[in-house]
Amino acid sequence: MTYYQQKLGQYDYYEVISALRKTIKLGREEDALYWLNVLVTLSPSGAKTAAKQLWIMAAEDIDDEMVVLRAFAVYQMAGKVAETDHLFFLTSRMAKAKKWWETPDGSCTDYLWSKAIGDLKKHPKPIPSFALDEHTAKGAIAKKAGRRIDNRFSGHDYGRQQTKYMYDRDGFISPDGYPDDQFYVYWSEYQNLLGEQDEPTQQPLLTEGNL
C-alpha cells in the first residue's frame, strides 16, 4: 500500500511535524528549531500548524505551567500576526523545559490516570453523596421535595462558606467533616457582606447522621 504525503521540499509533511515533536520531547533544542524552520519556511500554513502542534505538545508533555500558558497564548494568536519569532522562542523553551516523566508529580498523575482507565473498566465507582448537591438532578429533586442535601462543597455562597468554615476550623476539608452550630453565626455575619442570602430556605445543618 502506498501512502501519499504532502511534500515540504525534500521532506514529507507529517514526518517534519513528527520530527519537531520528537526532538522537543528529547530536549534536542537545535534539531527542534531546524524542523520548526522547515515547517514555517516551506509550508504556506506552517506557522498556524506549528502553533497548534506546540500547544498540543505543551499540554501533553511539558511540566511547567508558564510554558503551557505561553504555548496557549501563541496558539490563540496563530494566523493573526506575520512574525514567527514567538514560535522559535517557544520551541526553544519547550525543548529545555521539564517533561512530565521527569517529575514525581507527573509520574504520579500518569499512574493515577492509568488506574482510572482500569477502574472504569473493572471497578466503576459510585457518585459520592457529597457530589449530589442542588446543581445535580437528584439534588435538585431532593431540595424541591424538602429533603436535606449536601451543599458543603457547592459553588454558591452558602456552599463556599461551609467549605471555608470547615477549613478554618479544622485546617483541611474532608468528606467526613461537617459544619457545627457555630456555622450559623458565621453565615449570619457573612450575609451582611452579601446583602442577601442565596439559600432561599435555611435548612437544618447537615450531619453524617441525617444524610
Side-chain angles (χ1 to χ4, degrees):
M1 182 180 293
T2 302
Y3 294 94
Y4 171 77
Q5 289 194 36
Q6 175 186 344
K7 303 294 284 188
L8 295 180
Q10 61 186 304
Y11 303 112
D12 287 331
Y13 177 78
Y14 288 109
E15 291 178 1
V16 170
I17 292 176
S18 182
L20 171 62
R21 291 175 61 108
K22 303 309 187 292
T23 49
I24 290 175
K25 195 180 289 259
L26 289 165
R28 301 179 67 171
E29 180 184 7
E30 182 177 344
D31 290 341
L33 292 173
Y34 175 82
W35 294 116
L36 173 64
N37 187 57
V38 172
L39 183 59
V40 169
T41 303
L42 301 180
S43 171
S45 59
K48 290 183 68 175
T49 299
K52 180 179 180 179
Q53 291 298 320
L54 292 173
W55 155 238
I56 292 171
M57 189 171 182
E60 289 179 349
D61 289 337
I62 305 302
D63 194 49
D64 184 323
E65 289 84 354
M66 291 306 298
V67 175
V68 176
L69 288 173
R70 182 173 178 178
F72 182 69
V74 168
Y75 176 50
Q76 289 293 95
M77 293 301 295
K80 298 178 182 179
V81 293
E83 293 80 7
T84 59
D85 309 50
H86 52 293
L87 295 171
F88 286 90
F89 285 111
L90 174 59
T91 297
S92 174
R93 186 68 187 86
M94 286 175 60
K96 291 183 285 191
K98 280 191 176 295
K99 314 305 188 288
W100 68 260
W101 56 84
E102 296 180 300
T103 68
D105 284 348
S107 295
C108 179
T109 298
D110 181 68
Y111 170 81
L112 294 176
W113 176 16
S114 300
K115 186 175 184 300
I117 293 172
D119 285 345
L120 180 59
K121 295 174 182 176
K122 298 181 293 185
H123 310 291
K125 298 182 179 183
I127 298 294
S129 61
F130 55 80
L132 300 176
D133 62 16
E134 63 187 79
H135 298 108
T136 67
K138 290 181 180 177
I141 292 171
K143 182 176 181 179
K144 188 174 182 180
R147 298 197 300 272
R148 296 182 180 91
I149 55 176
D150 194 341
N151 270 324
R152 289 174 296 160
F153 310 114
S154 298
H156 52 49
D157 297 319
Y158 189 69
R160 285 201 315 274
Q161 295 312 311
Q162 287 189 75
T163 303
K164 180 180 183 299
Y165 175 81
M166 289 185 293
Y167 180 81
D168 289 344
R169 182 192 65 191
D170 303 328
F172 60 90
I173 59 172
S174 163
D176 301 321
Y178 294 85
D180 51 41
D181 290 336
Q182 187 62 27
F183 171 73
Y184 279 131
V185 178
Y186 172 86
W187 174 243
S188 178
E189 293 173 351
Y190 191 80
Q191 284 179 276
N192 293 328
L193 295 176
L194 296 173
E196 61 181 11
Q197 183 179 342
D198 75 340
E199 186 75 4
T201 57
Q202 188 159 292
Q203 302 171 347
L205 278 171
L206 185 70
T207 65
E208 190 171 15
N210 61 25
L211 268 175

